[in-house]
Amino acid sequence: MAKHEIIPCERCGTPIECKANSYTKCQCSVVHLDLNEVQYISELYEGCLCAKCLFELQQEYRDGIAS
């Protein structure tokens, strides 16, 4: 079985195991983003992000629209 690629989170640099071909097993799948949150994050970053950064960006987006 092939190992998945270890890449740095584009935002914080933390090494993460990219499982794009097995999305349901990827660490980022624990973050449930709505379409607007996905669009917001994709405007800021192109690559993979760790779950911690995804949670933080989700909160940043929600705080921004609540203001």
Side-chain angles (χ1 to χ4, degrees):
M1 179 180 217
K3 288 191 172 191
H4 298 280
E5 184 179 7
I6 304 295
I7 60 171
C9 169
E10 187 177 334
R11 183 171 180 247
C12 72
T14 298
I16 54 175
E17 187 175 12
C18 181
K19 294 182 180 177
N21 60 344
S22 254
Y23 174 74
T24 58
K25 297 177 184 174
C26 192
Q27 55 84 36
C28 65
S29 68
V30 300
V31 185
H32 302 284
L33 303 170
D34 68 25
L35 185 59
N36 292 325
E37 293 163 346
V38 169
Q39 183 176 4
Y40 171 74
I41 293 169
S42 68
E43 289 173 2
L44 300 171
Y45 300 96
E46 293 181 13
C48 290
L49 300 169
C50 68
K52 179 180 178 287
C53 285
L54 287 173
F55 278 123
E56 289 173 356
L57 289 164
Q58 181 183 52
Q59 192 60 50
E60 181 180 292
Y61 174 79
R62 291 178 178 182
D63 290 347
I65 62 170
S67 300

